[in-house]
Amino acid sequence: MNLKALLNPQQYEAATYLGGHLRIIAGAGSGKTRVITYRIAYLIEEVGIAPRNILAITFTNKAANEMKTRVETILNEENNGTTICTIHSLCVRVLRQHSHLLGYAHNFVILDEEDQKSLLKKLIKEIVPKGFDLTPKSCIRYISANKTMFVDPDKAMRLAGNLPGEKLKAEVYAAYEKYNEDHNMMDFDDLLLKTLKIFQENPGVVDTWSRRYQYVHVDEFQDVGEIEYQLVHYFGASSIVCVVGDPDQTIYSFRGSDINFIMHFDEDYENTKTIILNQNYRSTKTILGVANNLIRRNRNRMEKDLFTELDQGAKVIHFSAASEAEEARYVCDTIEAIIAKEEGVNYRDFAVLYRANYLSRALEQEMIRSQIDYKIFGGLKFFNRKEVKDALSYIRLMVISDDLSFERICNVPARGVGNKTLERIQYVAAQHGITDYDALCFCEQEIGLKGKARKELNKLKEAIERARTSTKKPADAFEQLMIETGYMEMLKNDHEDSRLDNIMELKNSISNYMNTHPETPDFESYLQEIALYTTQDEATKDEYVSLMSIHMAKGLEFNYVFVCGLSEDIFPNSRVLEEGGDDGLEEERRLAYVAFTRAKKRLYLCDNQSFSYISRSTKLTSRFVYEIGKEFVEHAGKSNPYKTTNYIDLNPTDEDFFGDNGVEEWKPGDLCIHDKFGKGVVIRCKGETVDIAFAAPLGVKSIMAHHKALKRLNS
């Protein structure tokens, strides 16, 4: 095995270094999996380490299987005994041997998410009184968050204080834990936490497992959280530990990952060598130039500039459209033009990436119109998502009062309508030959509604009738309906931010339809239009354009990549900036870096300048488009609200990328004026950004403190 011929100098050093612990900083497309697999093969074939004494931890089964296959191919043997698995799988091995130390039998049952939902549905029914909307999914999120923060049910109850809703969640949490203990069950969080507990309380078990492995490898180390980090420490207590990852691709902090574990690995592990893999084998020089310009804006990172020996490649195209529909049409037209021009190119060569799943809506509609086969990864197609189907059922109930819609939403949110109540409504409707909704409206006494069901269904009727007679624009009438029926409040109470975004994107869809179909600007026509989308046959070909969120795209690569929705407040996400400040901005920038580096041949950056019902303002091109500089970019489409020179002529190495507006320091209460948003008042200062309250409907916006578009007003 001639590794020097197979690997570049940095890869070779990483694969063969055995002088101590090793941190490999592997840039996007730099061949990190190749390095790990050859390192394992080197340890076995050249050094003589027994395969059973080598451990490699991954974070997905797909990555583990790929690594196993590569090692077997290199060594020309199957099942050589090397342990290559996910962290959860490794913990199961420990628990099968030692779970008795925690009072569990070795044949414990592992709960998947569906099992959790079924159990929690049962517990909620037993514990939660009527009037409290608590869903299994929200409980799963609550329980997992508490567990990973080492908050047990007793502490959760103390933290709940006198808040009835929080106390009920804590009660459900306690019942859930007791049920699992009584029935010998563990969920995915338990697999890690209970293994950690065994290690913490039993040094002998730690000794057994740490001595089993002489060399421990951890892939995607930038994604580890506190629990995983402690587990790695125990498994590698008597070993040489090699971690592989890229701080610039840390994008899962919402799942608990912490960039500081890879950044400061050498502080916890003495005698650590760091090797940087920065030769990219995936992308053109142009794409890497854009990615490097972007990510060097971050401060909390390890300095590295990716380079490649591949061709320069075409410039990155930034297209700014006037509307969502135009942005989607540009994507589809460009895909078709490339396929027509380039021999051997098909839909599988293309990926369309976005920050949030609701952004797929306009793209899906245009691809259906253009007869482009596509596939959504990591989620349902927009009009098949539960909250969208619920909302469309409310509209259908308002327009045609059909029974299917009534049955779907009569108890969503909870209105005290059980099976018996629904059966009574259906019986009375059948007796009179009318719809369920009409029976509710005209035969209330005959149905015999009582208590909560009567009160809440009357509210539903009133909301439906107000929407029917509303003089508001259809999109606004729809939002009013969602509010008055309690549907929006239900999503807010369950912290379903992405589902709320989907509801507002549906409002956007309604508004766009009404504006583009002035001859039939009504809900009935809109529903007919949507039915054509939702009843389309699924693509049967193997060739399809891939649509996915950027989080889903990590680790993948495509010849042609479109990154859509590059607008301020959308990407970077306003909620992340509000909650995370500068750290949040840096993670959003890392997410953009991941998106850009998925592209091999061509990269297209797209945004539109329409009104957003989510940010409640006109969209502005994302700061990330400005930050990539002018050298590698060609701008097209609608001119930017700011002067073109504001971003095309900027030097990406300047310390103040956006120029200086002459304001040294902002403070709450300062009056200001923005070139696009008009007059406002500063309400909060957060490092490089300030929160400014503008007149309705703009509301509060986060603005870069020294942007040229922002100026101070004296009065």
Side-chain angles (χ1 to χ4, degrees):
M1 184 168 59
N2 185 1
L3 286 183
K4 285 190 175 180
L6 294 167
L7 305 173
N8 69 36
Q10 290 76 29
Q11 290 175 332
Y12 175 80
E13 184 181 13
T16 59
Y17 177 76
L18 305 178
H21 301 303
L22 179 61
R23 173 175 57 182
I24 303 172
I25 304 299
S30 63
K32 69 178 179 63
T33 304
R34 181 180 179 84
V35 170
I36 300 174
T37 52
Y38 273 111
R39 179 177 168 85
I40 293 171
Y42 174 80
L43 287 170
I44 296 169
E45 191 167 279
E46 302 295 333
V47 182
I49 303 299
R52 65 178 178 276
N53 296 135
I54 299 172
L55 170 65
I57 299 171
T58 67
F59 282 84
T60 66
N61 288 310
K62 179 183 177 183
N65 292 332
E66 180 184 356
M67 200 176 293
K68 284 178 189 175
T69 302
R70 288 199 191 188
V71 171
E72 290 169 359
T73 301
I74 294 169
L75 296 176
N76 197 26
E77 59 179 281
E78 295 184 7
N79 303 320
N80 63 16
T82 305
T83 302
I84 303 175
C85 61
T86 66
I87 187 74
H88 288 90
S89 178
L90 183 61
C91 287
V92 169
R93 299 183 189 205
V94 175
L95 290 166
R96 292 297 183 202
Q97 291 188 38
H98 306 288
S99 59
H100 65 278
L101 296 171
L102 300 177
Y104 281 80
H106 73 280
N107 60 342
F108 58 86
V109 175
I110 300 173
L111 294 172
D112 62 19
E113 188 171 349
E114 289 306 311
D115 295 327
Q116 287 180 285
K117 286 179 181 177
S118 297
L119 172 56
L120 284 163
K121 187 175 181 180
K122 173 185 173 183
L123 295 175
I124 289 169
K125 188 174 181 180
E126 293 174 356
I127 296 169
V128 179
K130 291 182 179 180
F132 286 90
D133 291 325
L134 207 56
T135 64
K137 187 171 182 180
S138 66
C139 287
I140 289 173
R141 191 163 46 243
Y142 170 84
I143 291 169
S144 181
N146 276 290
K147 283 186 176 184
T148 53
M149 293 296 290
F150 304 100
V151 176
D152 63 21
D154 289 339
K155 186 174 180 180
M157 183 60 74
R158 292 195 299 273
L159 292 173
N162 295 319
L163 298 173
E166 293 301 305
K167 290 174 74 173
L168 282 172
K169 288 180 185 177
E171 283 186 48
V172 172
Y173 179 18
Y176 172 84
E177 290 291 88
K178 186 176 188 306
Y179 186 96
N180 286 343
E181 290 173 9
D182 292 345
H183 293 81
N184 201 37
M185 294 177 172
M186 296 188 196
D187 61 29
F188 270 51
D189 289 325
D190 289 330
L191 299 180
L192 305 188
L193 288 164
K194 294 191 184 301
T195 301
L196 181 59
K197 184 175 176 63
I198 288 172
F199 283 163
Q200 289 170 334
E201 297 176 353
N202 300 275
V205 176
V206 175
D207 190 60
T208 298
W209 283 89
S210 65
R211 291 188 181 279
R212 180 173 300 187
Y213 302 117
Q214 295 180 41
Y215 290 89
V216 173
H217 305 80
V218 188
D219 193 15
E220 302 289 4
F221 195 70
Q222 78 279 346
D223 292 336
V224 302
E226 175 68 30
I227 298 166
E228 293 93 342
Y229 189 73
Q230 290 190 43
L231 287 168
V232 169
H233 177 77
Y234 283 118
F235 281 114
S238 303
S239 312
I240 295 294
V241 178
C242 168
V243 300
V244 187
D246 182 6
D248 288 338
Q249 297 186 69
T250 303
I251 59 173
Y252 294 114
S253 65
F254 63 94
R255 294 181 188 169
S257 63
D258 188 339
I259 190 174
N260 291 304
F261 289 130
I262 190 169
M263 292 288 289
H264 304 301
F265 177 81
D266 55 337
E267 297 175 11
D268 290 343
Y269 288 79
E270 295 181 1
N271 190 26
T272 292
K273 183 177 182 65
T274 297
I275 297 173
I276 295 177
L277 308 182
N278 59 354
Q279 182 172 355
N280 176 284
Y281 293 89
R282 174 188 298 157
S283 307
T284 65
K285 288 184 173 69
T286 294
I287 293 169
L288 292 189
V290 163
N292 286 331
N293 280 351
L294 176 78
I295 201 62
R296 69 166 59 105
R297 297 281 162 193
N298 277 3
R299 296 175 181 175
N300 190 21
R301 65 184 296 261
M302 298 186 71
E303 187 61 38
K304 73 176 189 308
D305 269 359
L306 291 179
F307 74 94
T308 184
E309 294 180 357
L310 299 177
D311 294 339
Q312 183 68 37
K315 283 194 172 186
V316 171
I317 302 295
H318 165 233
F319 182 84
S320 189
S323 66
E324 281 185 322
E326 184 181 313
E327 180 183 1
R329 193 156 49 247
Y330 170 78
V331 171
C332 293
D333 289 349
T334 304
I335 289 172
E336 295 288 32
I338 292 172
I339 290 175
K341 182 179 178 182
E342 302 288 340
E343 186 177 350
V345 176
N346 63 54
Y347 291 148
R348 291 293 293 269
D349 293 307
F350 296 86
V352 184
L353 310 181
Y354 32 76
R355 175 62 179 84
N357 285 321
Y358 73 85
L359 294 167
S360 73
R361 194 271 308 166
L363 292 161
E364 290 183 61
Q365 289 184 265
E366 187 57 40
M367 286 189 176
I368 290 169
R369 285 195 192 98
S370 302
Q371 297 184 318
I372 293 176
D373 289 328
Y374 70 93
K375 184 174 180 180
I376 295 280
F377 287 84
L380 292 169
K381 293 184 176 182
F382 182 82
F383 290 105
N384 287 340
R385 293 167 191 163
K386 180 185 181 303
E387 62 279 7
V388 174
K389 292 179 77 69
D390 286 346
L392 290 173
S393 292
Y394 273 107
I395 296 175
R396 276 182 25 201
L397 188 62
M398 177 183 64
V399 175
I400 56 178
S401 303
D402 65 301
D403 290 346
L404 284 177
S405 295
F406 179 77
E407 290 165 12
R408 181 182 181 95
I409 55 84
C410 66
N411 204 42
V412 182
R415 297 187 173 94
V417 181
N419 290 334
K420 289 184 179 179
T421 301
L422 181 58
E423 287 171 5
R424 181 65 184 165
I425 294 171
Q426 292 169 331
Y427 174 78
V428 172
Q431 289 292 101
H432 292 278
I434 56 179
T435 67
D436 295 345
Y437 180 75
D438 286 342
L440 183 68
C441 291
F442 304 116
C443 309
E444 181 182 328
Q445 288 187 339
E446 190 175 346
I447 294 169
L449 292 174
K450 297 179 182 179
K452 180 181 178 181
R454 179 183 180 183
K455 178 182 176 183
E456 294 300 325
L457 286 175
N458 280 332
K459 285 184 181 178
L460 172 63
K461 286 190 296 183
E462 291 168 4
I464 293 291
E465 295 308 315
R466 267 194 297 271
R468 277 180 175 169
T469 58
S470 176
T471 57
K472 294 183 177 181
K473 291 181 179 179
D476 294 330
F478 162 73
E479 184 177 7
Q480 177 184 317
L481 178 63
M482 291 293 93
I483 292 170
E484 292 187 356
T485 57
Y487 197 86
M488 298 288 272
E489 184 179 2
M490 177 189 75
L491 295 181
K492 288 176 183 175
N493 290 340
D494 289 342
H495 304 289
E496 295 280 10
D497 291 339
S498 63
R499 294 186 185 275
L500 281 166
D501 287 346
N502 285 337
I503 295 296
M504 298 314 294
E505 181 59 26
L506 183 60
K507 177 183 178 181
N508 195 29
S509 170
I510 294 167
S511 178
N512 287 343
Y513 176 83
M514 301 304 168
N515 291 336
T516 55
H517 294 75
E519 71 285 359
T520 55
D522 55 59
F523 281 115
E524 188 171 357
S525 301
Y526 175 75
L527 289 171
Q528 181 177 312
E529 176 92 351
I530 294 307
L532 297 177
Y533 295 132
T534 56
T535 58
Q536 291 287 330
D537 291 335
E538 291 290 328
T540 56
K541 299 179 182 178
D542 288 331
E543 297 178 8
Y544 50 78
V545 176
S546 297
L547 273 64
M548 67 185 78
S549 70
I550 300 166
H551 285 98
M552 277 294 298
K554 188 169 179 290
L556 304 179
E557 58 183 41
F558 300 88
N559 284 332
Y560 304 91
V561 170
F562 295 80
V563 184
C564 293
L566 272 164
S567 301
E568 282 293 308
D569 292 337
I570 295 173
F571 195 16
N573 181 275
S574 58
R575 279 196 292 263
V576 173
L577 297 188
E578 183 177 342
E579 295 170 6
D582 290 343
D583 288 342
L585 175 59
E586 293 211 350
E587 177 141 348
E588 290 290 289
R589 192 176 282 118
R590 291 194 292 267
L591 193 57
Y593 175 79
V594 167
F596 297 174
T597 54
R598 299 311 94 198
K600 297 169 70 176
K601 292 184 177 180
R602 295 295 304 270
L603 175 63
Y604 299 84
L605 309 179
C606 304
D607 70 285
N608 69 79
Q609 297 171 33
S610 62
F611 185 85
S612 168
Y613 285 103
I614 292 171
S615 66
R616 304 282 184 176
S617 64
T618 302
K619 297 174 187 172
L620 295 177
T621 301
S622 169
R623 69 190 75 186
F624 297 151
V625 175
Y626 297 77
E627 290 179 357
I628 59 180
K630 70 172 185 177
E631 180 183 358
F632 305 106
V633 184
E634 178 182 326
H635 298 273
K638 187 178 180 182
S639 61
N640 198 272
Y642 301 117
K643 294 179 180 178
T644 305
T645 54
N646 278 7
Y647 61 97
I648 288 188
D649 290 341
L650 287 171
N651 184 336
T653 61
D654 288 345
E655 182 177 350
D656 185 359
F657 190 82
F658 290 91
D660 190 357
N661 57 13
V663 180
E664 293 184 4
E665 184 178 355
W666 292 99
K667 62 183 182 298
D670 282 350
L671 300 178
C672 60
I673 187 167
H674 189 278
D675 289 353
K676 183 67 177 178
F677 299 141
K679 293 181 180 180
V681 58
V682 175
I683 59 173
R684 190 181 301 111
C685 302
K686 303 180 298 185
E688 296 179 1
T689 62
V690 288
D691 286 353
I692 301 172
F694 294 100
L698 295 174
V700 177
K701 311 291 290 181
S702 290
I703 306 291
M704 287 163 282
H706 298 290
H707 198 290
K708 288 183 177 179
L710 185 64
K711 298 174 180 65
R712 193 194 301 276
L713 284 178
N714 294 324
S715 60

